[in-house]
Amino acid sequence: MDYEKLKLDNQLCFRLYAASRLIIQAYRPHLDRLGVTYPQYLVLMVLWETDHLPVNDIAKRLSLETNTVTPLIQRMEREGIVTRAKGRVDTRQTIVSLTQYGHELREQSVEIPNCMLDLLCRNGIQKESVEKLLPLLEEIIEGLGKGK
């Protein structure tokens, strides 16, 4: 038996999990200042790109199920970040839109990506390495997402 493959340090999933957890942790101080969680920040980024989207489209863009995204959006609505309305064409759809406050959060967030890149660079990671990593991660996401 090849038990070497079972070692934690040989697992892609562990390395992705640990990196993801540490990156989300590094975002926390920036997001705390905005008063949003990391999942809320992801929803905001989707809506900053395209406002007035159905919940299903937001969930699809984030590679999540609608039953995961819906409570998140409901909380954001209670916090005054987004509004929800029934679709005009298809009333079964719920359309999510940014409030003025949601738009203002975009202005407050504009430096977060640079801060995160700076943090990585201060810890010995080259900007070019990050740029090379993004397409590989996208390839993994696309490849594994096809099975859904």
Side-chain angles (χ1 to χ4, degrees):
M1 297 275 177
D2 188 5
Y3 293 119
E4 190 69 21
K5 291 179 183 174
L6 293 176
K7 286 187 176 181
L8 187 61
D9 288 341
N10 293 333
Q11 303 304 307
L12 172 65
C13 61
F14 172 70
R15 292 182 186 279
L16 289 172
Y17 166 76
S20 175
R21 187 181 55 76
L22 291 167
I23 287 173
I24 292 169
Q25 184 179 4
Y27 269 91
R28 188 166 292 126
H30 303 286
L31 301 181
D32 285 351
R33 280 194 291 280
L34 299 176
V36 298
T37 64
Y38 186 74
Q40 289 173 330
Y41 180 64
L42 296 178
V43 170
L44 282 168
M45 285 192 288
V46 170
L47 292 171
W48 291 333
E49 287 181 25
T50 308
D51 200 359
H52 315 293
L53 285 177
V55 172
N56 291 356
D57 290 1
I58 295 169
K60 189 179 296 180
R61 182 72 173 93
L62 296 175
S63 300
L64 295 171
E65 298 295 326
T66 56
N67 62 355
T68 301
V69 174
T70 297
L72 183 63
I73 291 170
Q74 290 171 336
R75 182 174 172 208
M76 293 174 76
E77 183 179 40
R78 287 191 302 273
E79 294 171 357
I81 299 170
V82 299
T83 60
R84 295 180 305 145
K86 292 290 179 193
R88 290 184 183 165
V89 176
D90 184 349
T91 57
R92 295 172 297 174
Q93 285 188 325
T94 299
I95 307 299
V96 182
S97 303
L98 292 166
T99 62
Q100 181 61 36
Y101 178 54
H103 285 287
E104 291 168 6
L105 287 174
R106 182 180 189 186
E107 295 305 313
Q108 297 174 39
S109 301
V110 74
E111 285 302 316
I112 293 175
N114 290 334
C115 291
M116 296 305 298
L117 184 58
D118 289 346
L119 175 65
L120 292 172
C121 291
R122 283 194 314 270
N123 285 284
I125 300 164
Q126 299 296 315
K127 180 181 176 184
E128 295 77 21
S129 296
V130 174
E131 291 170 351
K132 288 179 184 176
L133 181 61
L134 293 177
L136 175 58
L137 291 172
E138 185 60 32
E139 189 177 330
I140 291 170
I141 292 165
E142 281 186 30
L144 295 176
K146 287 179 184 175
K148 285 188 166 185

